[in-house]
Every structure is written in C-alpha cells, then in structure tokens.
Amino acid sequence: MFKNFIGGEWLDGPKVSRNINPSDTRDVIGEYAQADVAQTQAAIAAAHAAFPAWSLSTPQQRFDILDAAGTEILIRRNELGELLAREEGKTLPEAIGEVARAGYIFKFFAGEALRPGGESLPSVRPGVGVEITREALGVIGLITPWNFPIAIPAWKIAPALAYGCCVVFKPAELVPGSAWALAEILSRSGLPGGVFNLVMGRGSEVGATLLNDPRVSGISFTGSVPTGQKVAAACVGRMAKFQLEMGGKNPMIVLDDAELSVAVNCAVNSGFFSTGQRCTASSRLIVTEGIHDRFVAAMVGRMKALKVDDARKQGTDIGPVVDQSQLGQDQEYVGIAKAEGATLAFGGEHVERNPEGQPGFYMRPALITDTTPAMRINREEVFGPVVSVLRAKNYEEALQLANDTPFGLASGIATTSLKHATHFKRHAQAGMVMVNLPTAGVDYHVPFGGRKGSSYGPREQGRYAAEFFTTVKTAYTQA
Ligand code: NAD
C-alpha cells in the first residue's frame, strides 16, 4: 500500500484506491491511500507549523534540496517514465520526456532559489530609502489533473519550495503513482517535516478541504473549467490567492503557402500524440481553401499509419485513453459532430483490445471535416484524440475563426509568409503562440498559461512563477 506523506511521516488513509493500467485493465499498479477531511487538515496543520522556519531557510538549503531532487528524477527517468506510461497511457518516449521535464524544472527552480531579486531605490522624500522584496506567500494547496502526472506537480511544487512556501499536494485520483514516486524522492531530500505533504484522495473531499481552510494562503490549480470555477469561488470567498490553468480549444491555422509536411506533422503531433489529452492540443484545424483538400488527404494518409497500442510497447504512436469515462466522452463528441452534420473523415472507433488481446481504452484518432464554427465540436473541449477541420477563405477569416472561442491557451499557424506569421503572433488571442510548430510542446524555463476561459491569475513556470508564490513587501527606512 502506498501511503500519504504528512508532517514527515508515511500514513495510512481511511480508504484505499486501486490504480489501473489503461493499456491493460487487468493490470493493477497498486493500492493507494485515500485521505479524508481530517487527514487533509492534519497535512495543512503540519505545513502551517513548518512555514515560519522554512520561509526563512537559506537559498543554499533550498538549492541543495531542489537540485538533488532534480538529479534523482533525471537519473531515474526511464523507470519513472515506465510507471507514468503504465498509469496514464501516454507512450513510453512521451512519458520519459515528461519525467525529464520534471527533473529540469526542479533544477531550474533550484537556481531561482538563489536569485530572489529585489530592488533598492531612493524615496521621493529626502533621507529615506526604499527596498522592495518578495516574501513567501505561505501554505499552498496544489491541485493537479491526470494528464501530466509528474510535470504539472513538478512545476507547482518546485517553485513553491524554491520561494519558501510549504506545500500540501493533492494529485488527480487517476494517477497517484507518479505523485507518490515524486513525494518519495522529496521525502529523502532533506526537507524538514511538514514542508511538503502528499494527500491523495477525492477532489470533493481532499480538494475542497484545501480550498476552504484559512491556513492555506494560496491554491494553484490545473484542471477543467467547472472545477476551476469552484476553486475561484471558494478562494474569493475567503480572500485567498489563486491561479487557475484550465481547458483549451486550441486552433492551428494552415495557410495555402504552408509547407504541407510541416503542417501535417504539427497537426498530427499536437492533435493526437499523448492521445490528444493535452490542454495545448490543436483540436481545431483552420485550413484555407487552396490547401484544404490536399491537407485533409495528407492527414488521413498519416493517420492510417498511426499505431494505437499499449503505451509501453515499442512502436506505439498513440496509447489508450486514460479511463472509461474519458473514452465515453470522446466517443460521444464524435457522435455529436456527426449528428450536427459534420463528416467523420477518419477514425473515431473504440478498439476493445490491442493485437495481444489486452483489454484497454483504445480509440483510433478521429478527424472530423465539413464543420461549422457553431458546432459543439468546435466550441467545447473534448480532451481526446478528436480533431475537427474548419474551412476558411483566407488568412483574415482564419484568424477570426481562430479567435472565435471562449478559450485562449495556445494558438498556432503553419505558413511560409513572414507577414502573416508576424501579424498572427500579435493578433492571436492566446497566452502561447506557435509558428510552424505544434501548439503542444513548450519549454520549461519560460512562462506557461493562457487567456480568456483558459487561465486566471499569474503565469506558471519560468521566472514568472514568483508572482504567485511570493508577496511583495515595500520597506521604507529613514537613515
Ligand atoms: P478536473 O477538473 O476533473 O480535476 C482536476 C483536479 O481537481 C483533480 O485533482 C481533482 O481531484 C480536483 N477536484 C475535483 N473536484 C474538486 C473540488 N470540488 N474541489 C477541489 N478540487 C477538486 O480535471 P481533470 O479531468 O483531472 O483534467 C483535465 C482538464 O485539465 C482538462 O480540461 C485540461 O484542459 C485541463 N488541463 C489544463 C492544463 C493547463 O495548464 N491549462 C494542463 C493540463 C490539463
């Protein structure tokens, strides 16, 4: 049994939950403790007690701990990648890549612990000096989704610790394995007891307790829009700081002058890899008239060759969907699109078993054409390997369609026109813009986040992470 980590100790929970492999539902990865309200409150109390000392720990102490954690994650990337692929269903190379990203994030924030910054400037009054410094916010509740089981926890935990905050981490119910492995590494890293706590369990119980406890100064949340709205309402109600990273309906424009192979590579990568289960996935392809038919034909050609199979098998391009409920949602949206008059150009079938006969949540990637902007498939996030195509007359119409969405996370364009690429970078209503690159797949040392319904509050990652995890103090001194 894998236990919760509270106040520096491993503790059983009142309940347990089974972690199942979506590539083979007969394979039980392990049984993981499930915290209840009381155990979550104990973790909050431990973090609260640890905060005064940890917030004053030296940059060297924080650097050493984060750097050591990053080193261990990188050394163990293959083994941790196996576990991640087994519990979440992304392919082994993708999973190993995600683990490596987590390792580099710890190393990046180890460095940031040494560079807290600050300003010293003269006052407008004679003889007075002004200092502007950043101080740790307090105890932070971290609530994460299932689709990046180690990278998203890493990009919240590492800055929280680097800037002197204490952490109560609640991972998604479907992927406790990677969260537990990360907690186990941190449990041996030299962190004082209570600085980092792991509480696995349900959102409505563990998550809601974090939202409502006055000892938790901030909530960093990544997940769906409806849950994000609950987080916001609870935090505003008690004046806690919060940041939200939520869904997307990310467009990728393909212009007539695009290099076809570049456009297809970008669309296949960010539409279908990681089973389309990325908040930055290109789920709407907006294609101009002159290239539309060639592009769709080339996409279908590529999709026919994609292997949907066990996430850990060599040669698999697309692993399974994460669970039965997500699979049901993906299938439902293919049906909705067809019922609304769109064409299923390729794929979309649920495949019950892989070639070895393993029962899993397999689904062939789906390409849906002849869609209109008002169709639900173009307005709502599916979060699976389902991509729609919209036809546009020209660049101007394509840009208008790209921005015609309640979301604003990532936006991409495939073009060889410097003029259109430059215009698009300025006018795309999104937090991240990609030119001739997949909308999914970003660097770990620069800010990540979106606009409109996709995000709320300060950006995550890179130096910009300091904005959420610290609070600014302005001190005046009369000499
Ligand atoms: P989800 O909203 O169902 O769950 C996210 C987390 O919130 C989980 O840990 C869950 O247990 C918890 N939770 C649920 N109810 C809660 C409550 N009442 N109070 C507190 N916590 C609660 O999302 P998911 O299905 O795990 O993840 C998929 C979603 O995440 C998609 O919408 C995707 O776009 C989004 N996502 C966004 C980003 C980004 O950075 N923008 C990255 C990855 C995923």
Side-chain angles (χ1 to χ4, degrees):
M1 224 259 283
F2 296 91
K3 302 181 181 188
N4 285 318
F5 187 62
I6 296 170
E9 285 177 55
W10 292 101
L11 299 177
D12 285 324
K15 283 178 273 176
V16 292
S17 160
R18 283 177 141 198
N19 189 5
I20 305 288
N21 176 357
S23 299
D24 185 345
T25 52
R26 300 164 303 187
D27 176 24
V28 178
I29 298 161
E31 295 202 322
Y32 290 79
Q34 297 282 286
D36 57 7
V37 171
Q39 206 171 39
T40 309
Q41 286 170 339
I44 296 169
H48 192 246
F51 179 69
W54 179 247
S55 63
L56 298 176
S57 58
T58 62
Q60 186 67 49
Q61 192 180 356
R62 291 182 228 159
F63 172 90
D64 288 341
I65 287 168
L66 294 171
D67 187 59
T71 299
E72 180 171 344
I73 292 167
L74 287 169
I75 289 171
R76 293 174 55 196
R77 67 176 82 177
N78 290 346
E79 169 215 338
L80 294 171
E82 274 266 336
L83 171 64
L84 200 163
R86 187 174 166 209
E87 73 173 349
E88 198 271 351
K90 65 183 63 174
T91 65
L92 195 53
E94 291 171 331
I96 292 170
E98 183 185 331
V99 172
R101 181 190 177 94
Y104 291 125
I105 286 169
F106 271 90
K107 291 204 166 263
F108 176 86
F109 283 107
E112 285 301 282
L114 298 173
R115 291 185 285 267
E119 283 182 76
S120 169
L121 55 161
S123 161
V124 293
R125 288 168 282 168
V128 175
V130 185
E131 287 163 90
I132 303 164
T133 51
R134 287 186 177 275
E135 294 183 0
L137 184 63
V139 174
I140 312 288
L142 305 180
I143 302 177
T144 57
W146 49 262
N147 66 326
F148 282 93
I150 196 162
I152 292 180
W155 82 52
K156 295 183 190 297
I157 294 167
L161 298 177
Y163 298 122
C165 295
C166 291
V167 167
V168 181
F169 166 41
K170 190 216 105 51
E173 291 91 319
L174 287 174
V175 289
S178 301
W180 188 91
L182 183 55
E184 197 278 325
I185 290 171
L186 290 170
S187 75
R188 291 182 283 99
S189 67
L191 281 172
V195 171
F196 170 82
N197 305 273
L198 170 74
V199 276
M200 298 175 283
R202 293 167 60 85
S204 54
E205 210 171 351
V206 176
T209 304
L210 287 173
L211 301 187
N212 293 313
D213 195 302
R215 293 168 294 184
V216 178
S217 304
I219 297 285
S220 179
F221 168 84
T222 301
S224 64
V225 173
T227 313
Q229 286 166 338
K230 286 184 196 163
V231 174
C235 290
V236 167
R238 64 178 184 86
M239 303 285 192
K241 197 171 178 181
F242 61 100
Q243 66 178 176
L244 312 174
E245 286 300 339
M246 299 170 288
K249 194 73 207 175
N250 309 293
M252 190 186 110
I253 294 176
V254 179
L255 293 186
D256 287 357
D257 63 28
E259 223 163 289
L260 188 62
S261 62
V262 170
V264 170
N265 283 342
C266 291
V268 166
N269 176 321
S270 48
F272 303 124
F273 289 175
S274 296
T275 322
Q277 298 173 153
R278 291 188 284 191
C279 50
T280 47
S282 300
S283 50
R284 289 186 301 141
L285 304 174
I286 301 165
V287 188
T288 49
E289 302 273 13
I291 197 170
H292 178 279
D293 294 355
R294 274 186 298 139
F295 175 76
V296 169
M299 283 292 288
V300 171
R302 271 294 295 281
M303 290 170 73
K304 282 183 180 157
L306 294 174
K307 268 210 193 128
V308 180
D309 206 333
D310 188 311
R312 290 183 294 163
K313 199 159 136 188
Q314 208 178 358
T316 296
D317 296 301
I318 301 178
V321 172
V322 73
D323 73 346
Q324 183 63 55
S325 142
Q326 184 63 51
L327 178 65
Q329 179 167 315
D330 299 348
Q331 294 282 300
E332 195 186 336
Y333 270 101
V334 172
I336 291 169
K338 284 200 286 186
E340 288 190 332
T343 306
L344 180 59
F346 183 81
E349 310 91 356
H350 165 40
V351 182
E352 281 181 21
R353 288 173 187 272
N354 76 345
E356 277 79 44
Q358 294 169 204
F361 306 118
Y362 300 105
M363 173 173 168
R364 273 190 227 296
L367 189 71
I368 298 172
T369 55
D370 303 317
T371 72
T372 61
M375 287 180 179
R376 285 181 64 193
I377 195 68
N378 283 322
R379 305 220 69 82
E380 297 167 22
E381 184 183 51
V382 179
F383 217 56
V386 183
V387 170
S388 57
V389 180
L390 279 154
R391 203 185 271 266
K393 280 197 282 297
N394 50 29
Y395 167 72
E396 286 71 26
E397 191 190 19
L399 176 66
Q400 182 268 319
L401 289 170
N403 287 336
D404 176 23
T405 168
F407 296 105
L409 190 56
S411 195
I413 190 166
T415 181
T416 50
S417 156
L418 180 62
K419 181 178 144 204
H420 286 138
T422 306
H423 187 273
F424 182 73
K425 281 191 278 185
R426 175 63 188 85
H427 294 275
Q429 293 166 4
M432 295 173 290
V433 181
M434 318 290 181
V435 177
N436 295 322
L437 286 166
T439 53
V442 294
D443 287 3
Y444 64 83
H445 67 307
V446 290
F448 178 98
R451 301 182 179 179
K452 301 203 270 187
S454 289
S455 301
Y456 193 97
R459 286 281 187 274
E460 299 197 77
Q461 300 191 64
R463 284 191 291 116
Y464 288 67
E467 199 53 46
F468 179 73
F469 293 101
T470 63
T471 178
V472 170
K473 180 176 275 175
T474 311
Y476 296 86
T477 310
Q478 173 81 66

